[in-house]
Structures are given as C-alpha cells and as structure tokens.
Amino acid sequence: MNVIFPTVYGPVVSWRYGRSLGIDPIGAISTCSFNCVYCQLGEIEHLSGDRQIFVDTADILVELDKFAPWQVDVVTLSGSGEPTLAKNLGEIIQGIKTLTGRPTLVLTNATLLNDAQVRKELSLADKVSVKLDALWPTQLQKINRPIADVSLEGILTGIKAFQQQFTGELSVQTMVLQPWDQVTEHRYLELLSVIKPRELQLNTPTRPKPLQRELEGRGNHTGNPYGDRPVTQIKCVDGQTLQNLAQKISGATGIPVRCAPLKVF
C-alpha cells in the first residue's frame, strides 16, 4: 500500500511529554472505537473495533528515517484514531525502537486491552497512556460514544490485565468537562486504586472541535489551524478548577498529576 498522507508528523510540543514525534498507524480515514464529543480530529469517519493493517510498517519506517537524528523526547503512536486497532502495532513499535533508539509512547482508549495479543504488542512500548473520561457507564455513552460492544467494565478489566504484565510507565489521561462533586471525586479515586497508574494527566477541551475530518488535529494547535472551516467550542472547566482537582487527587493518592496549561492557542 502506498502512503498517501504523512504517517509521521511533528515534532509536536506536548504539555505532557515534551517534544514528541507523532506516528499515525491508522491512515487517511479516521478510525476509532470511540467518537468522543471533544475529538480534535472531528467526527470519526469509521467507527470500528476490528484490527487490521492500515499502513504498512515499512512505509512508516521509511518516513521516520527522514526525521533522523530524531531530536525528540519521545515517539508517540496516536494520530487518526485508536492505534491499537493497527494489527501491526507491535511490529511498528519494535521498528521505531530499533531505528531511533528513542522512548516510545502509545496513547490508547483501552477498548482493546481485553485482547491478549493487543496487550502483548502494547507491552513493547516504553510508556502507555490510557484514557479514562467516564466514571460510570452512562458517561461513557455520553462523552466517548463507543461502538456497541464496548463497556466501561470491559475497559477497566482490560486496563487491569494490562497493568499486571506491563513493565513500562502507565499513565491515565482524563478529560474533565465540568466541575466534579465529591461523589465523582470518590469514584475516580476508587478507579485509580484499581488501575494503579504512575501518573495522571487532567485536561479540559480548550481546543475547538472541527465539524469535519481535520488532519491538522493531530499536531500542534497554534494560530488558527482550521481556517474558516466550521468548528464548535466544547464547554470546559477553568484552569483553577482543574488545578484544585489535581491537588486533591494527588494529595489523596500520592500519584503525580499533570494539568493542561490554561491556554492552548
């Protein structure tokens, strides 16, 4: 398969991981098991939980070689959807590590972690960040809008199974859409006690959501990346509320918590 779009992009300046070179194993058509209400890619074009090879590993590595000497903090697999849907995920991760010698990171929504083969491949990464926006099944449907056979219970079971075999750094990324009450805070702490991450990352959707597929959504959002194309602004919490929540969680768990900067643009 010939590459018809850039599978390697950036480097992206990440508030979570520093200078990051992006790898897109999904391809030109956004494909994911979630269709999150805040997704910076726009509405997902293909909702699926089926693994396949979207982009040949060799094509990715040829593009990646052009970025040598890879002066970045991390090489991140994310891009145009859920990276664990790529059936050649393990091959891609191993190829990146062999070629660049840089730490590898995978950003995942964790919907496929009940698959032993996915866990095995994902374990090759140095760092993995799992998404946990929804604390109850109703929130999962409202915020992440998953495919039919995905449940919160299944996601949590998969993360726990992965944590038991993963020797790298596991973090949790959570999008906070509104201030949390004490019940919500307590529920989050309960789930963290199951997941046992090394770090937490709290974010809020300060970036607008494009109403159509936007390749620019993968990278840095500076200036006006979408031009005059239609976008919608998702309601978010203010920076101080996010900081206060981070302090509460860190104080209760001892887990380091990073917060998104107050401004993205």
Side-chain angles (χ1 to χ4, degrees):
M1 157 176 158
N2 295 323
V3 175
I4 58 174
F5 77 106
T7 59
V8 183
Y9 58 96
V12 176
V13 179
S14 168
W15 61 270
R16 296 173 292 182
Y17 299 106
R19 189 172 166 84
S20 167
L21 190 61
I23 304 293
D24 191 337
I26 297 301
I29 298 174
S30 60
T31 304
C32 194
S33 48
F34 277 178
N35 186 22
C36 299
V37 294
Y38 57 79
C39 184
Q40 63 196 43
L41 297 173
E43 291 291 303
I44 295 298
E45 295 168 295
H46 182 213
L47 282 167
S48 176
D50 298 327
R51 303 189 79 202
Q52 66 180 80
I53 294 179
F54 300 90
V55 184
D56 287 344
T57 305
D59 290 336
I60 291 175
L61 296 180
V62 165
E63 276 203 66
L64 182 58
D65 190 52
K66 298 174 184 177
F67 285 77
W70 309 288
Q71 295 176 336
V72 294
D73 299 304
V74 67
V75 180
T76 304
L77 281 81
S78 180
S80 298
E82 172 50 41
T84 61
L85 287 171
K87 204 169 184 178
N88 53 340
L89 175 69
E91 189 178 73
I92 294 170
I93 294 172
Q94 191 59 61
I96 292 169
K97 296 174 79 167
T98 301
L99 180 63
T100 70
R102 302 296 180 186
T104 52
L105 162 70
V106 180
L107 306 180
T108 176
N109 64 20
T111 55
L112 275 71
L113 294 190
N114 282 310
D115 184 325
Q117 182 61 31
V118 171
R119 295 197 302 270
K120 179 181 178 181
E121 294 175 28
L122 193 58
S123 292
L124 294 172
D126 298 294
K127 303 179 181 182
V128 172
S129 183
V130 296
K131 182 190 298 292
L132 182 65
D133 298 331
L135 310 186
W136 291 279
T138 52
Q139 285 187 326
L140 184 71
Q141 297 301 320
K142 185 176 180 180
I143 298 172
N144 301 123
R145 301 187 297 179
I147 58 175
D149 59 347
V150 169
S151 69
L152 181 58
E153 181 181 4
I155 290 172
L156 295 172
T157 299
I159 295 174
K160 185 175 181 180
F162 178 67
Q163 173 69 297
Q164 290 173 348
Q165 70 184 81
F166 185 48
T167 59
E169 298 179 16
L170 181 71
S171 60
V172 167
Q173 53 178 321
T174 297
M175 188 69 77
V176 181
L177 300 180
Q178 61 186 25
W180 289 3
D181 56 23
Q182 288 187 346
V183 173
T184 304
E185 291 176 11
H186 181 68
R187 171 65 171 166
Y188 193 65
L189 296 179
E190 284 183 334
L191 297 184
L192 293 180
S193 69
V194 173
I195 299 172
K196 298 180 174 62
R198 188 173 299 187
E199 181 183 270
L200 301 175
Q201 300 148 4
L202 300 183
N203 202 357
T204 191
T206 53
R207 295 175 175 180
K209 176 182 177 176
L211 300 186
Q212 60 189 35
R213 163 73 161 123
E214 291 286 355
L215 195 62
E216 292 83 355
R218 302 183 308 177
N220 288 317
H221 283 220
T222 57
N224 183 17
Y226 304 131
D228 59 358
R229 298 185 293 281
V231 298
T232 183
Q233 188 66 52
I234 306 298
K235 186 178 180 181
C236 59
V237 302
D238 63 85
Q240 190 59 58
T241 297
L242 206 62
Q243 289 287 346
N244 292 344
L245 178 59
Q247 291 173 7
K248 283 185 180 180
I249 294 171
S250 181
T253 64
I255 301 172
V257 183
R258 292 178 184 263
C259 277
L262 300 185
K263 292 288 185 180
V264 173
F265 295 98

PDB file of all heavy atoms in Angstrom, residues 107-124:
ATOM      1  N   LEU A 107      -0.772   6.311  22.977  1.00  0.00           N
ATOM      2  CA  LEU A 107      -1.975   6.891  23.579  1.00  0.00           C
ATOM      3  C   LEU A 107      -3.156   6.030  23.153  1.00  0.00           C
ATOM      4  O   LEU A 107      -3.431   5.898  21.956  1.00  0.00           O
ATOM      5  CB  LEU A 107      -2.178   8.330  23.096  1.00  0.00           C
ATOM      6  CG  LEU A 107      -1.007   9.296  23.287  1.00  0.00           C
ATOM      7  CD1 LEU A 107      -1.372  10.686  22.758  1.00  0.00           C
ATOM      8  CD2 LEU A 107      -0.602   9.385  24.738  1.00  0.00           C
ATOM      9  N   THR A 108      -3.855   5.433  24.115  1.00  0.00           N
ATOM     10  CA  THR A 108      -4.917   4.487  23.773  1.00  0.00           C
ATOM     11  C   THR A 108      -6.176   4.722  24.594  1.00  0.00           C
ATOM     12  O   THR A 108      -6.110   5.176  25.741  1.00  0.00           O
ATOM     13  CB  THR A 108      -4.433   3.032  23.986  1.00  0.00           C
ATOM     14  OG1 THR A 108      -5.519   2.129  23.735  1.00  0.00           O
ATOM     15  CG2 THR A 108      -3.930   2.805  25.402  1.00  0.00           C
ATOM     16  N   ASN A 109      -7.319   4.385  24.007  1.00  0.00           N
ATOM     17  CA  ASN A 109      -8.575   4.471  24.755  1.00  0.00           C
ATOM     18  C   ASN A 109      -8.869   3.186  25.528  1.00  0.00           C
ATOM     19  O   ASN A 109      -9.900   3.077  26.195  1.00  0.00           O
ATOM     20  CB  ASN A 109      -9.746   4.827  23.833  1.00  0.00           C
ATOM     21  CG  ASN A 109     -10.032   3.771  22.773  1.00  0.00           C
ATOM     22  OD1 ASN A 109      -9.648   2.609  22.893  1.00  0.00           O
ATOM     23  ND2 ASN A 109     -10.727   4.192  21.716  1.00  0.00           N
ATOM     24  N   ALA A 110      -7.974   2.209  25.419  1.00  0.00           N
ATOM     25  CA  ALA A 110      -8.006   0.973  26.223  1.00  0.00           C
ATOM     26  C   ALA A 110      -9.165   0.041  25.884  1.00  0.00           C
ATOM     27  O   ALA A 110      -9.405  -0.929  26.606  1.00  0.00           O
ATOM     28  CB  ALA A 110      -8.025   1.293  27.723  1.00  0.00           C
ATOM     29  N   THR A 111      -9.862   0.264  24.804  1.00  0.00           N
ATOM     30  CA  THR A 111     -11.020  -0.573  24.488  1.00  0.00           C
ATOM     31  C   THR A 111     -10.643  -1.959  23.985  1.00  0.00           C
ATOM     32  O   THR A 111     -11.481  -2.867  23.968  1.00  0.00           O
ATOM     33  CB  THR A 111     -11.918   0.103  23.437  1.00  0.00           C
ATOM     34  OG1 THR A 111     -11.131   0.422  22.287  1.00  0.00           O
ATOM     35  CG2 THR A 111     -12.540   1.381  23.986  1.00  0.00           C
ATOM     36  N   LEU A 112      -9.390  -2.150  23.580  1.00  0.00           N
ATOM     37  CA  LEU A 112      -8.974  -3.446  23.044  1.00  0.00           C
ATOM     38  C   LEU A 112      -8.075  -4.220  24.005  1.00  0.00           C
ATOM     39  O   LEU A 112      -7.501  -5.236  23.636  1.00  0.00           O
ATOM     40  CB  LEU A 112      -8.248  -3.272  21.703  1.00  0.00           C
ATOM     41  CG  LEU A 112      -9.122  -3.183  20.440  1.00  0.00           C
ATOM     42  CD1 LEU A 112      -9.874  -1.861  20.393  1.00  0.00           C
ATOM     43  CD2 LEU A 112      -8.292  -3.368  19.192  1.00  0.00           C
ATOM     44  N   LEU A 113      -7.947  -3.758  25.240  1.00  0.00           N
ATOM     45  CA  LEU A 113      -6.983  -4.371  26.152  1.00  0.00           C
ATOM     46  C   LEU A 113      -7.452  -5.701  26.735  1.00  0.00           C
ATOM     47  O   LEU A 113      -6.692  -6.359  27.455  1.00  0.00           O
ATOM     48  CB  LEU A 113      -6.625  -3.405  27.280  1.00  0.00           C
ATOM     49  CG  LEU A 113      -5.865  -2.151  26.844  1.00  0.00           C
ATOM     50  CD1 LEU A 113      -5.352  -1.389  28.053  1.00  0.00           C
ATOM     51  CD2 LEU A 113      -4.724  -2.483  25.907  1.00  0.00           C
ATOM     52  N   ASN A 114      -8.651  -6.121  26.436  1.00  0.00           N
ATOM     53  CA  ASN A 114      -9.070  -7.467  26.819  1.00  0.00           C
ATOM     54  C   ASN A 114      -8.552  -8.520  25.836  1.00  0.00           C
ATOM     55  O   ASN A 114      -8.727  -9.720  26.060  1.00  0.00           O
ATOM     56  CB  ASN A 114     -10.598  -7.551  26.906  1.00  0.00           C
ATOM     57  CG  ASN A 114     -11.114  -6.946  28.192  1.00  0.00           C
ATOM     58  OD1 ASN A 114     -10.627  -7.272  29.262  1.00  0.00           O
ATOM     59  ND2 ASN A 114     -12.094  -6.060  28.091  1.00  0.00           N
ATOM     60  N   ASP A 115      -7.925  -8.055  24.771  1.00  0.00           N
ATOM     61  CA  ASP A 115      -7.324  -8.932  23.773  1.00  0.00           C
ATOM     62  C   ASP A 115      -5.869  -9.191  24.183  1.00  0.00           C
ATOM     63  O   ASP A 115      -5.051  -8.266  24.250  1.00  0.00           O
ATOM     64  CB  ASP A 115      -7.391  -8.251  22.404  1.00  0.00           C
ATOM     65  CG  ASP A 115      -6.864  -9.124  21.273  1.00  0.00           C
ATOM     66  OD1 ASP A 115      -5.913  -9.891  21.489  1.00  0.00           O
ATOM     67  OD2 ASP A 115      -7.401  -9.001  20.153  1.00  0.00           O
ATOM     68  N   ALA A 116      -5.534 -10.443  24.454  1.00  0.00           N
ATOM     69  CA  ALA A 116      -4.184 -10.790  24.922  1.00  0.00           C
ATOM     70  C   ALA A 116      -3.110 -10.401  23.913  1.00  0.00           C
ATOM     71  O   ALA A 116      -2.004 -10.002  24.295  1.00  0.00           O
ATOM     72  CB  ALA A 116      -4.108 -12.291  25.223  1.00  0.00           C
ATOM     73  N   GLN A 117      -3.416 -10.505  22.629  1.00  0.00           N
ATOM     74  CA  GLN A 117      -2.433 -10.152  21.606  1.00  0.00           C
ATOM     75  C   GLN A 117      -2.166  -8.649  21.615  1.00  0.00           C
ATOM     76  O   GLN A 117      -1.019  -8.212  21.467  1.00  0.00           O
ATOM     77  CB  GLN A 117      -2.918 -10.593  20.220  1.00  0.00           C
ATOM     78  CG  GLN A 117      -1.943 -10.300  19.088  1.00  0.00           C
ATOM     79  CD  GLN A 117      -0.608 -11.012  19.244  1.00  0.00           C
ATOM     80  OE1 GLN A 117      -0.548 -12.112  19.802  1.00  0.00           O
ATOM     81  NE2 GLN A 117       0.463 -10.395  18.755  1.00  0.00           N
ATOM     82  N   VAL A 118      -3.218  -7.852  21.807  1.00  0.00           N
ATOM     83  CA  VAL A 118      -3.044  -6.401  21.894  1.00  0.00           C
ATOM     84  C   VAL A 118      -2.176  -6.048  23.105  1.00  0.00           C
ATOM     85  O   VAL A 118      -1.264  -5.228  23.024  1.00  0.00           O
ATOM     86  CB  VAL A 118      -4.409  -5.683  21.991  1.00  0.00           C
ATOM     87  CG1 VAL A 118      -4.213  -4.191  22.300  1.00  0.00           C
ATOM     88  CG2 VAL A 118      -5.189  -5.842  20.684  1.00  0.00           C
ATOM     89  N   ARG A 119      -2.455  -6.685  24.230  1.00  0.00           N
ATOM     90  CA  ARG A 119      -1.656  -6.425  25.437  1.00  0.00           C
ATOM     91  C   ARG A 119      -0.188  -6.775  25.211  1.00  0.00           C
ATOM     92  O   ARG A 119       0.714  -6.046  25.642  1.00  0.00           O
ATOM     93  CB  ARG A 119      -2.213  -7.194  26.637  1.00  0.00           C
ATOM     94  CG  ARG A 119      -3.595  -6.754  27.066  1.00  0.00           C
ATOM     95  CD  ARG A 119      -3.920  -7.244  28.472  1.00  0.00           C
ATOM     96  NE  ARG A 119      -3.850  -8.689  28.619  1.00  0.00           N
ATOM     97  CZ  ARG A 119      -4.859  -9.516  28.425  1.00  0.00           C
ATOM     98  NH1 ARG A 119      -6.043  -9.044  28.038  1.00  0.00           N
ATOM     99  NH2 ARG A 119      -4.713 -10.828  28.610  1.00  0.00           N
ATOM    100  N   LYS A 120       0.059  -7.885  24.544  1.00  0.00           N
ATOM    101  CA  LYS A 120       1.428  -8.319  24.271  1.00  0.00           C
ATOM    102  C   LYS A 120       2.156  -7.293  23.410  1.00  0.00           C
ATOM    103  O   LYS A 120       3.310  -6.920  23.698  1.00  0.00           O
ATOM    104  CB  LYS A 120       1.407  -9.683  23.585  1.00  0.00           C
ATOM    105  CG  LYS A 120       2.780 -10.223  23.230  1.00  0.00           C
ATOM    106  CD  LYS A 120       2.662 -11.574  22.540  1.00  0.00           C
ATOM    107  CE  LYS A 120       4.036 -12.105  22.123  1.00  0.00           C
ATOM    108  NZ  LYS A 120       3.925 -13.422  21.417  1.00  0.00           N
ATOM    109  N   GLU A 121       1.503  -6.831  22.361  1.00  0.00           N
ATOM    110  CA  GLU A 121       2.128  -5.859  21.462  1.00  0.00           C
ATOM    111  C   GLU A 121       2.327  -4.518  22.156  1.00  0.00           C
ATOM    112  O   GLU A 121       3.376  -3.882  22.022  1.00  0.00           O
ATOM    113  CB  GLU A 121       1.271  -5.701  20.207  1.00  0.00           C
ATOM    114  CG  GLU A 121       1.198  -6.957  19.353  1.00  0.00           C
ATOM    115  CD  GLU A 121       0.246  -6.811  18.190  1.00  0.00           C
ATOM    116  OE1 GLU A 121       0.045  -5.669  17.714  1.00  0.00           O
ATOM    117  OE2 GLU A 121      -0.322  -7.830  17.751  1.00  0.00           O
ATOM    118  N   LEU A 122       1.315  -4.077  22.893  1.00  0.00           N
ATOM    119  CA  LEU A 122       1.381  -2.785  23.560  1.00  0.00           C
ATOM    120  C   LEU A 122       2.462  -2.768  24.634  1.00  0.00           C
ATOM    121  O   LEU A 122       3.061  -1.721  24.916  1.00  0.00           O
ATOM    122  CB  LEU A 122       0.018  -2.461  24.171  1.00  0.00           C
ATOM    123  CG  LEU A 122      -0.226  -1.028  24.655  1.00  0.00           C
ATOM    124  CD1 LEU A 122      -0.040  -0.033  23.529  1.00  0.00           C
ATOM    125  CD2 LEU A 122      -1.630  -0.911  25.250  1.00  0.00           C
ATOM    126  N   SER A 123       2.746  -3.929  25.208  1.00  0.00           N
ATOM    127  CA  SER A 123       3.773  -4.025  26.247  1.00  0.00           C
ATOM    128  C   SER A 123       5.169  -3.728  25.722  1.00  0.00           C
ATOM    129  O   SER A 123       6.096  -3.511  26.518  1.00  0.00           O
ATOM    130  CB  SER A 123       3.752  -5.422  26.881  1.00  0.00           C
ATOM    131  OG  SER A 123       2.561  -5.622  27.625  1.00  0.00           O
ATOM    132  N   LEU A 124       5.344  -3.703  24.424  1.00  0.00           N
ATOM    133  CA  LEU A 124       6.642  -3.366  23.840  1.00  0.00           C
ATOM    134  C   LEU A 124       6.956  -1.873  23.984  1.00  0.00           C
ATOM    135  O   LEU A 124       8.119  -1.478  23.897  1.00  0.00           O
ATOM    136  CB  LEU A 124       6.671  -3.746  22.356  1.00  0.00           C
ATOM    137  CG  LEU A 124       6.583  -5.242  22.032  1.00  0.00           C
ATOM    138  CD1 LEU A 124       6.416  -5.443  20.533  1.00  0.00           C
ATOM    139  CD2 LEU A 124       7.824  -5.967  22.534  1.00  0.00           C
TER     140      LEU A 124
END
